[in-house]
Amino acid sequence: MTSTLAVRSISTPEHLDFVRSRSSVSFLQTPAWATVKNEWRGESIGWFRGETLVGAALVLYRQLPKLQRYLAYIPEGPDIDWHGGDLADWLTPMAAHLKSQGAFGIRMGPPVVVRRWNSTTIKAAIADPVLTSLSDVPADVSDDAALDLRQSLKKLGWKELDASGGFTAGQPKFNFQIPLADRSEDDVLAGMNQLWRRNIKKAAKLGVEVTTGTKPDLPAFHEVYAETAVRDHFTPRPLSYFERMWDALNAEESDRLVLYLAHHEGDLVASTTMVRVGLHAWYSYGASTTAKREVRGSNAIQWQMIRDAMAAGATIYDMRGITETIDPDDSHAGLIQFKVGTGGEAVEYLGEWDLPLNRALYLGFTTYMRSRG
Amino acid sequence: MSFELRVDAERWRRGLRALTESTPGIVPVIKGNGYGFGRDLLAAEAADLGVGSIAVGTYAEVPGALKAFAGDVMVLSPWRPFDGDVVYDKRLIHTLGRVDDIAALAADHADSRVIIEGETSMARHGFDRHELAAAVEALGDLKVEGFAIHLPMTGHNLAEAESWAAALAASQVETTTFFVSHLTPDELATIRERRPHLDVRPRIGTTLWLGDLGALSVRATVLDRHQLARGERVGYRQRSMPRDGHLLIIAGGTSHGIGLEAPKASAGAIQRGKSLAKGGLEAAGFSLSPFTIDGKQRWFAEPPHMQASMVFLPASAAVPEVGDTVEVAVRFTTATFDAVVLA
């Protein structure tokens, strides 16, 4: 059976118009993201029913060494109607189009939530020594229709990437979000744990001031970010990356990327970036100084971002990835504990999926990726 | 003619009491053939032990249990809307394992008492842990009496039981009663110690009723005996006998649960060679019977009949008299006795 949908390349303005017509898509699916990821070739594609654009995706092509063949990567996308009828109808023409562009395989991350755990549940689970992974904890909400997609994808030949062991695969499968819809600032504050509330109050009392910055403030952010990288043992991105992100995202919408700075008595103590697409706001990068931790700049800056997200009409404040582990002995558990204090919820996405188009090249690629470990 | 279970009642009851006393919260399981004793007899014993509830296997077993036992009766098989013999009673506790079933029961019998079952590595019935929230949502006015897990019998179940106990604590299921099966006394003690807030209630059948096999003996009456010469043909199948000896007709056939396995042919050339070398009757295609006569398990002269068996006894063995009883090894969960004698 041939698909009733056609997939073809669309222009950046067409893509942006479509993004604007949606309540929200991942910021990794905005056309601007292709500019940020300039080491990959980007392409906007659209799904057409007749002449009507009904779905879109940003595809990033990663070239195989020495070959004119690519892995087509659609991070946190595509933005299609995942529950609208036959999945093959959507995915088959996409695969054909990407293959014609030289793709040997496709990787995507359906933006579909399958399970949710609220913070009370997670707190109880962290306190329980037997439960070491979110998967072991009874979810507060399971979406059966979303879970069924897993079977549908398998039937269509897609393979789920193993997301176990933390952040090794592309985008995180488990994320932490604070729902904002129909909640007042007081509601959100009341949902936080005592420590968070106390720290927010403390920062205000000590005179921590949170302001938003402009592009010339990026070097100041980057200085604190580099300090954080040394402390937390991760490889920092260069300043140019953030400047490119600033230019690209804010060219699309003037307040898509906002820089936050928390000062205490003139010293920059924390700095973060927030990205917003439609109703979804993400805390994207965060940094804090080792000095003056006691003034709680991090809590103050988060609270300001949450309030601004609410004021902009966002329904989700997304603190992004957590690992599946809730084992207090695991170094990643501190991250989830910090996030759980906000009273939000852990969400599990459908994960990332691969469709090999050329078996030999795909096999070579996955073996190479595994060897990089 | 009789194929009977004789019980050293005092010794058997001593075992029942010992296990009951050392296992607080025990729920005796009384299902199927009543482990050979019959369900009514066990229900009466359970009442004497002073337990408040018993568990039966299926709804077909419920009416009898309600009549024979005055306390609560729980059904191990999950309730299904298409089950024709479902019974509803204030003393009855249903097991639920599917969200749809919860909703259906809540709609039609809102005041029922229920147990939520988790799907363990047994993979038989029950909820995936991620379905528990949906299960709770569907409960309505149903009264949750506990959470149950049915574990495999491999013996290393503590980790799985604990993981379910933890899952129960982190779930929205509002109960602290935790029904378990197939945990050793040590495992039970460990889980009680680690989960003091849980009321752990072991559901025990085999270990309780058949825990002291020494108190039980199965005796079959010798109904007839015939002297045989080698080569003589006997039985429905007119097989020729391999040696001189006796043919015994003994109470106990397929209707009693004897010889449910078909007599087996030797598997391969090597096996057959071994049998031939040993000169056993297996080489001639005979099967070992569960009857012990003159100290040895004897061979069937032909496959068991419905209510009696024909057993070959070689000339060298002491022959029992007609009317004597012989010992039989049975699988109690599939045996049916003409009589259960408590003495």
Side-chain angles (χ1 to χ4, degrees):
Chain A
M1 198 188 75
T2 53
S3 174
T4 56
L5 295 165
V7 170
R8 59 174 182 265
S9 216
I10 54 176
S11 69
T12 298
E14 266 181 299
H15 190 182
L16 190 55
D17 277 351
F18 187 73
V19 168
R20 285 178 176 144
S21 76
R22 307 283 284 169
S23 63
S24 187
V25 300
S26 167
F27 69 91
L28 306 178
Q29 281 296 303
T30 57
W33 196 248
T35 318
V36 179
K37 291 284 161 187
N38 62 354
E39 73 274 36
W40 299 48
R41 176 164 69 87
E43 184 198 14
S44 292
I45 61 171
W47 278 257
F48 290 87
R49 182 169 280 129
E51 284 309 303
T52 317
L53 184 60
V54 290
L58 174 71
V59 187
L60 300 170
Y61 292 94
R62 177 175 194 150
Q63 194 178 348
L64 272 187
K66 296 178 198 165
L67 283 173
Q68 292 287 70
R69 302 299 294 274
Y70 307 86
L71 174 72
Y73 183 35
I74 307 173
E76 298 184 0
D79 177 27
I80 58 175
D81 185 359
W82 285 94
H83 295 299
D86 190 0
L87 207 51
D89 227 26
W90 291 93
L91 298 182
T92 309
M94 174 182 88
H97 174 84
L98 298 180
K99 194 171 185 179
S100 77
Q101 299 294 303
F104 66 84
I106 308 170
R107 178 167 295 178
M108 65 175 180
V112 175
V113 172
V114 292
R115 283 192 260 267
R116 297 172 188 278
W117 292 260
N118 66 41
S119 53
T120 321
T121 303
I122 302 169
K123 245 182 345 211
I126 292 174
D128 199 310
V130 172
L131 301 171
T132 55
S133 140
L134 264 185
S135 301
D136 294 341
V137 183
D140 293 302
V141 180
S142 296
D143 186 335
D144 288 339
L147 285 161
D148 287 346
L149 284 175
R150 211 166 254 167
Q151 296 313 316
S152 307
L153 284 170
K154 276 184 193 156
K155 245 186 249 166
L156 294 173
W158 292 79
K159 299 175 195 314
E160 187 175 5
L161 295 191
D162 182 14
S164 57
F167 291 119
T168 46
Q171 298 304 324
K173 183 172 180 177
F174 292 90
N175 284 266
F176 201 86
Q177 301 176 346
I178 307 176
L180 300 177
D182 304 320
R183 295 176 80 192
S184 68
E185 280 184 18
D186 285 346
D187 292 339
V188 175
L189 205 54
M192 292 185 173
N193 71 9
Q194 221 179 6
L195 187 67
W196 263 86
R197 287 201 301 266
R198 205 187 297 144
N199 285 342
I200 288 170
K201 248 189 240 158
K202 189 175 176 187
K205 210 170 128 199
L206 292 174
V208 172
E209 248 185 292
V210 180
T211 54
T212 58
T214 53
K215 194 180 172 188
D217 294 314
L218 279 174
F221 156 80
H222 197 262
E223 201 174 308
V224 183
Y225 166 75
E227 184 186 332
T228 307
V230 173
R231 189 179 65 229
D232 294 350
H233 312 289
F234 64 84
T235 314
R237 295 181 180 282
L239 175 60
S240 58
Y241 178 84
F242 293 97
E243 287 171 340
R244 195 163 64 242
M245 191 149 89
W246 180 278
D247 290 341
L249 293 183
N250 286 336
E252 219 168 66
E253 303 286 352
S254 58
D255 60 348
R256 180 143 289 166
L257 178 72
V258 182
L259 174 67
Y260 286 85
L261 306 147
H263 283 95
H264 178 257
E265 291 169 356
D267 298 325
L268 184 61
V269 291
S271 186
T272 54
T273 59
M274 182 168 86
V275 181
R276 190 172 56 79
V277 181
L279 306 182
H280 201 125
W282 291 264
Y283 156 47
S284 64
Y285 284 92
S288 59
T289 56
T290 308
K292 290 198 175 182
R293 290 188 82 69
E294 70 285 358
V295 304
R296 298 297 167 191
S298 291
N299 299 92
I301 211 166
Q302 287 290 343
W303 178 229
Q304 189 59 49
M305 285 195 289
I306 293 168
R307 288 159 72 197
D308 288 357
M310 290 180 100
T315 54
I316 294 172
Y317 181 74
D318 196 321
M319 304 184 83
R320 291 195 63 80
I322 50 175
T323 55
E324 206 190 333
T325 181
I326 49 165
D327 182 354
D329 295 334
D330 189 300
S331 61
H332 290 302
L335 187 66
I336 186 168
Q337 244 156 347
F338 173 77
K339 293 179 181 179
V340 164
T342 63
E345 57 187 23
V347 299
E348 179 190 0
Y349 282 88
L350 204 53
E352 295 207 308
W353 293 73
D354 275 7
L355 180 71
L357 296 173
N358 175 321
R359 238 152 245 291
L361 288 179
Y362 175 78
L363 203 67
F365 170 77
T366 47
T367 312
Y368 163 71
M369 291 303 282
R370 253 200 304 278
S371 71
R372 292 195 338 161
Chain B
M1 89 187 234
S2 189
F3 180 73
E4 62 186 37
L5 170 62
R6 296 182 187 173
V7 184
D8 177 344
E10 203 191 309
R11 177 173 167 181
W12 181 57
R13 286 181 176 136
R14 199 157 57 226
L16 301 184
R17 274 196 305 276
L19 186 72
T20 307
E21 278 160 20
S22 64
T23 317
I26 188 173
V27 180
V29 174
I30 301 174
K31 62 180 181 181
N33 69 342
Y35 301 83
F37 300 90
R39 297 196 301 270
D40 285 355
L41 187 149
L42 295 188
E45 293 295 328
D48 287 347
L49 288 171
V51 298
S53 41
I54 58 170
V56 299
T58 66
Y59 280 98
E61 297 168 359
V62 170
L66 286 173
K67 214 179 288 171
F69 185 77
D72 287 343
V73 174
M74 58 187 72
V75 189
L76 296 172
S77 300
W79 181 91
R80 292 283 190 255
F82 46 78
D83 218 339
D85 47 13
V86 173
V87 177
Y88 300 97
D89 191 281
K90 277 204 284 290
R91 286 194 285 131
L92 192 65
I93 301 169
H94 307 267
T95 297
L96 291 168
R98 302 191 307 172
V99 177
D100 289 354
D101 291 354
I102 291 188
L105 185 62
D108 289 346
H109 296 273
D111 55 350
S112 298
R113 301 161 69 189
V114 301
I115 287 171
I116 310 275
E117 180 165 357
E119 187 195 337
T120 65
S121 54
M122 279 279 287
R124 196 164 61 176
H125 308 297
F127 290 98
D128 178 275
R129 59 187 66 205
H130 298 297
E131 292 177 311
L132 292 179
V136 169
E137 197 129 311
L139 276 172
D141 292 330
L142 294 175
K143 191 166 179 301
V144 179
E145 300 275 346
F147 185 84
I149 52 167
H150 202 89
L151 297 165
M153 287 201 271
T154 49
H156 301 287
N157 290 326
L158 184 61
E160 186 169 6
E162 246 214 299
S163 149
W164 273 104
L168 173 61
S171 79
Q172 298 166 3
V173 181
E174 282 183 38
T175 184
T176 51
T177 307
F178 188 48
F179 293 99
V180 297
S181 51
H182 302 148
L183 287 182
T184 66
D186 282 354
E187 289 172 333
L188 276 173
T190 306
I191 203 154
R192 284 198 161 109
E193 188 186 317
R194 290 191 193 156
R195 305 275 159 186
H197 67 287
L198 284 185
D199 178 16
V200 180
R201 302 201 57 187
R203 301 198 283 204
I204 301 180
T206 310
T207 317
L208 175 66
W209 307 119
L210 300 174
D212 182 7
L213 291 176
L216 311 175
S217 73
V218 179
R219 305 293 302 190
T221 309
V222 177
L223 303 173
D224 223 330
R225 70 175 203 196
H226 313 289
Q227 199 162 5
L228 290 177
R230 176 168 187 253
E232 210 171 314
R233 291 181 179 275
V234 302
Y236 283 126
R237 290 153 210 246
Q238 291 291 296
R239 303 190 60 179
S240 88
M241 293 300 106
R243 292 175 217 159
D244 291 348
H246 281 87
L247 180 69
L248 299 180
I249 319 299
I250 306 176
T254 51
S255 74
H256 298 95
I258 295 289
L260 289 177
E261 284 173 59
K264 46 194 167 303
S266 293
I270 294 174
Q271 189 57 43
R272 199 166 178 90
K274 274 186 188 164
S275 297
L276 283 168
K278 279 195 283 185
L281 289 177
E282 198 181 356
F286 284 80
S287 280
L288 204 54
S289 85
F291 299 96
T292 299
I293 300 148
D294 194 20
K296 269 177 92 173
Q297 230 177 313
R298 302 296 173 176
W299 298 83
F300 279 122
E302 74 166 355
H305 301 171
M306 195 166 169
Q307 293 182 307
S309 295
M310 297 175 87
V311 171
F312 177 74
L313 192 64
S316 54
V319 201
E321 297 293 328
V322 170
D324 282 356
T325 63
V326 299
E327 196 187 326
V328 201
V330 297
R331 190 172 166 188
F332 287 92
T333 51
T334 54
T336 307
F337 300 102
D338 296 327
V340 179
V341 183
L342 273 70

